């Protein structure tokens, strides 16, 4: 279960910080996720301290950390520092779309719409040269730019038309980003209110995808030999894993159900008994506890150990059979 209350977010942040201490080689993704949980708990000063800690450690992605720090600082009254960080990122012109999106949305969230549009446009000019295929990340930049330009009343340009074309949601992008929609919320007409609720749901789905966690929602996969060793050592877990074949079927079914519910950024993490036992020791919990399995999967994903799901049609199946995915667990059933 994902954290929901401030106390749960703080507890999860503290667990991730402990894990980062034990695995210093993985501290960057772990502490970034911990900072995100602290922000959700409104512990913004503690989150800021984590960003400072990361920036002092020669991180792999300093521009993204500075962008997240700028967003966090602005939220609790440090606007001047936030603006300085944003200016520094724009001057550095990073080649990664993520920091650009964060700083442009920070400006947008504080009604700095002209500066936000300039930031999105600068990023698009830098990262999407002519005839360059779009990725999910660069498409997100064009979508954000489209939204801000609609708020500013700008006429459509070529990149706005590209954003419209790339949008795959049930409601057209122009309608989602229509600034007049706010007036529909005050309507007494039930039909208008229902239409607005449908638009908001679609937009929420887009935002969830754009602001997805830095690591996948991951399902734990035990290779056959590892599962046999696990159940020999901890027979109480047999209720979780009646057989290896059922375990594999359950992984595919769970991932398809998550995809069908609109969850994106899905993955699979491969488990081993020694790794699991070390994790249990670090958490001061018995490996026989079924509740530890989900935490173990989340920690492996946070450490960058997840394999994206679903595999491409030409790739081997995730289960390790060596067969192409469509001929194994991919089957003939389309993924919704």
């Amino acid at each position: 279960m994902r954290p929901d209350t401030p106390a749960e977010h703080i507890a999860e942040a503290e667990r991730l910080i402990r894990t980062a201490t034990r695995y210093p080689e993985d501290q960057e993704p772990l502490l970034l996720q911990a900072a995100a949980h602290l922000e959700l708990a409104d512990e913004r000063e503690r989150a800021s301290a984590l960003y400072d800690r990361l920036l002092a450690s020669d991180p792999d992605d300093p521009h993204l950390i500075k962008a997240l720090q700028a967003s966090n600082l602005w939220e609790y009254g440090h606007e001047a520092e936030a603006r300085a960080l944003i200016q520094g990122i724009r001057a550095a012109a990073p080649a990664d779309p993520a920091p650009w999106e964060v700083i442009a949305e920070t400006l947008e969230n504080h009604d700095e719409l002209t500066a936000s549009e300039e930031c999105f446009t600068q990023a698009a000019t830098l990262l999407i040269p002519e005839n360059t295929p779009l990725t999910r990340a660069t498409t997100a930049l064009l979508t954000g730019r489209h939204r801000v330009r609609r708020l500013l009343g700008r006429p459509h340009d070529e990149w706005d038309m590209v954003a419209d074309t790339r949008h795959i949601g049930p409601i057209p992008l122009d309608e989602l980003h229509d600034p007049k929609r706010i007036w529909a919320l005050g309507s007494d007409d039930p039909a208008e209110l229902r239409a607005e609720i449908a638009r908001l749901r679609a937009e929420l789905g887009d935002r969830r995808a754009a602001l997805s966690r830095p690591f996948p929602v991951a399902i734990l996969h035990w290779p056959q030999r590892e599962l046999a060793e696990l159940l020999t050592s901890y027979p109480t877990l047999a209720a979780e894993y009646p057989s290896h074949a059922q375990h594999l079927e359950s992984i595919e079914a769970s991932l398809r159900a998550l995809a069908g519910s609109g969850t994106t950024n899905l993955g699979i993490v491969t488990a081993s008994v020694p790794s699991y036992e070390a994790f249990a020791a670090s958490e001061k919990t018995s490996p026989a506890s079924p509740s530890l399995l989900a935490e173990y999967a989340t920690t492996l994903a946070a450490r960058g150990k997840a394999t994206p799901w679903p595999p491409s049609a030409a790739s081997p199946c995730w289960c390790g059979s060596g067969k192409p995915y469509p001929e194994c667990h991919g089957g003939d059933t389309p993924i919704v």
Side-chain angles (χ1 to χ4, degrees):
M1 184 178 295
R2 294 188 185 183
D4 189 41
T5 67
E8 289 171 339
H9 281 295
I10 291 170
E12 180 65 8
E14 289 173 347
R15 187 183 71 80
L16 289 164
I17 292 167
R18 292 196 305 271
T19 305
T21 301
R22 297 185 185 100
Y23 301 99
E25 70 277 13
D26 299 310
Q27 82 159 1
E28 189 167 332
L30 291 167
L31 292 184
L32 280 176
Q33 185 63 14
H37 281 290
L38 290 172
E39 288 187 30
L40 289 168
D42 205 26
E43 292 282 338
R44 294 193 173 275
E45 289 192 44
R46 290 186 63 188
S48 184
L50 285 185
Y51 292 131
D52 287 338
R53 174 176 164 183
L54 280 168
L55 290 170
S57 66
D58 191 24
D60 293 331
D61 199 346
H63 298 302
L64 177 59
I65 297 168
K66 289 178 181 179
L68 294 168
Q69 174 72 301
S71 175
N72 180 58
L73 285 168
W74 203 326
E75 288 297 327
Y76 77 106
H78 296 269
E79 180 182 336
E81 293 174 59
R83 287 183 181 277
L85 285 169
I86 289 170
Q87 289 171 0
I89 292 166
R90 293 186 65 178
D96 177 15
W100 288 104
E101 186 173 10
V102 172
I103 61 174
E105 289 190 349
T106 298
L107 291 164
E108 177 190 358
N109 291 339
H110 293 278
D111 295 325
E112 300 277 346
L113 297 180
T114 300
S116 176
E117 193 239 356
E118 291 171 355
C119 191
F120 274 123
T121 300
Q122 182 183 351
T125 303
L126 175 69
L127 303 180
I128 315 174
E130 191 174 354
N131 299 322
T132 299
L134 289 172
T135 64
R136 173 184 282 187
T138 52
T139 299
L141 286 176
L142 294 186
T143 301
R145 181 179 181 275
H146 181 288
R147 180 180 61 249
V148 173
R149 285 172 61 80
R150 286 284 282 153
L151 291 170
L152 287 166
R154 301 276 197 268
H156 267 34
D157 63 8
E158 185 174 341
W159 273 330
D160 289 326
M161 289 187 283
V162 172
D164 283 330
T165 303
R166 295 282 294 193
H167 179 66
I168 59 174
I171 296 173
L173 204 57
D174 267 348
E175 190 173 346
L176 277 178
H177 294 165
D178 184 355
K180 296 178 182 177
R181 284 174 47 204
I182 190 66
W183 299 107
L185 294 174
S187 173
D188 293 327
D189 184 343
E192 285 187 7
L193 289 171
R194 283 194 294 270
E196 183 58 21
I197 289 169
R199 294 186 193 101
L200 289 170
R201 283 176 174 165
E203 187 170 15
L204 179 60
D206 289 344
R207 296 291 289 164
R208 281 175 175 166
L211 300 176
S212 60
R213 299 187 302 173
F215 55 85
V217 177
I219 302 292
L220 201 59
H221 165 224
W222 293 92
Q224 188 166 12
R225 185 174 297 177
E226 294 291 337
L227 184 61
E229 182 181 342
L230 177 77
L231 298 181
T232 299
S233 302
Y234 309 104
T236 57
L237 296 178
E240 303 291 321
Y241 306 111
S243 72
H244 189 252
Q246 286 178 276
H247 169 51
L248 298 183
E249 290 172 6
S250 174
I251 292 171
E252 183 72 22
S254 297
L255 288 165
R256 285 174 179 263
L258 286 166
S261 70
T263 304
T264 58
N265 197 21
L266 298 170
I268 296 173
V269 286
T270 300
S272 71
V273 173
S275 168
Y276 178 61
E277 289 175 334
F279 176 74
S282 73
E283 293 295 306
K284 298 181 173 58
T285 304
S286 168
S289 171
S291 64
L292 191 66
L293 296 166
E295 291 186 27
Y296 175 52
T298 299
T299 300
L300 288 179
R303 296 178 64 202
K305 306 299 183 184
T307 300
W309 179 93
S312 68
S315 298
C317 186
W318 53 263
C319 72
S321 67
K323 298 179 183 178
Y325 176 62
E327 297 175 19
C328 194
H329 285 89
D332 297 322
T333 306
I335 298 167
V336 294

